Amino acid sequence: GIQVEQSPPDLILQEGANSTLRCNFSDSVNNLQWFHQNPWGQLINLFYIPSGTKQNGRLSATSVATERYSLLYISSSQTTDSGVYFCAVVGGNTGKLIFGQGTTLQVKP
Amino acid sequence: DADVTQTPRNRITKTGKRIMLECSQTKGHDRMYWYRQDPGLGLRLIYYSFDVKDINKGEISDGYSVSRQAQAKFSLSLESAIPNQTALYFCATSERQGVMETQYFGPGTRLLVL
């Protein structure tokens, strides 16, 4: 099955700093989503982005399907950005999301 | 998303007990999923259903069963709970439009099996 690898596994930032999170996947995908899991465990949809670039406020994402990777950019980080960021992909027609292990982000004030 | 609800939100049970986790959605999606998350790990798929008459095993279905009572309802049962089923459980829904499909997750149920 498809393998999803995220890097870095852990990241500590000072408030106001920028960061880039990476997601590599081992096969072509029809669907790629980025999620933020807040400290209370809630999963929040950030982007649906199998290809191209999207922006939403301080967050943006770029996926390059041909090279099998996606990047999530966080600019001017805030303490509320803390939590775990997951990349998840679907291959084929199954609809099943395969999750990476996540990047744990801590933003310090 | 408030459109996907899970009950209970937290549950403590004992080894050997039967327990049911319920999921309801108002999004009108045909596809529903159950995942579990263990500490420090991503989510893993337990079962999924593409419509009321379609139930499929995921990667970790042993020890679990499901029921799709209606388009809007998908329940997960642990017939005889064991401690290594302690985890955070998520329900999700999706609607496929061509090749596009976005999954929406409920708030999760924290289960502790003693």
Side-chain angles (χ1 to χ4, degrees), chain A residues 46-73:
Chain A
L46 296 178
F47 294 103
Y48 170 85
I49 186 166
S51 63
T53 298
K54 291 186 177 180
Q55 182 162 3
N56 183 3
R58 295 180 297 103
L59 302 182
S60 63
T62 295
S63 294
V64 184
T66 53
E67 297 186 21
R68 299 179 185 171
Y69 74 88
S70 182
L71 302 174
L72 178 69
Y73 305 98

Side-chain angles (χ1 to χ4, degrees), chain B residues 11 13-16 78 81-86 111-114:
Chain B
R11 179 74 183 267
T13 192
K14 295 182 178 180
T15 296
L78 287 68
I82 56 177
N84 75 2
Q85 291 178 313
T86 292
L111 176 64
L112 173 61
V113 183
L114 300 175

Side-chain angles (χ1 to χ4, degrees), chain A residues 38-103:
Chain A
N38 64 25
W40 296 270
Q42 186 180 9
L43 274 172
I44 300 164
N45 277 304
L46 296 178
F47 294 103
Y48 170 85
I49 186 166
S51 63
T53 298
K54 291 186 177 180
Q55 182 162 3
N56 183 3
R58 295 180 297 103
L59 302 182
S60 63
T62 295
S63 294
V64 184
T66 53
E67 297 186 21
R68 299 179 185 171
Y69 74 88
S70 182
L71 302 174
L72 178 69
Y73 305 98
I74 304 174
S75 64
S76 304
S77 58
Q78 301 176 357
T79 56
T80 52
D81 294 333
S82 296
V84 184
Y85 289 81
F86 288 105
C87 165
V89 303
V90 173
N93 297 317
T94 64
K96 296 182 289 183
L97 275 175
I98 307 298
F99 280 77
Q101 299 285 60
T103 292

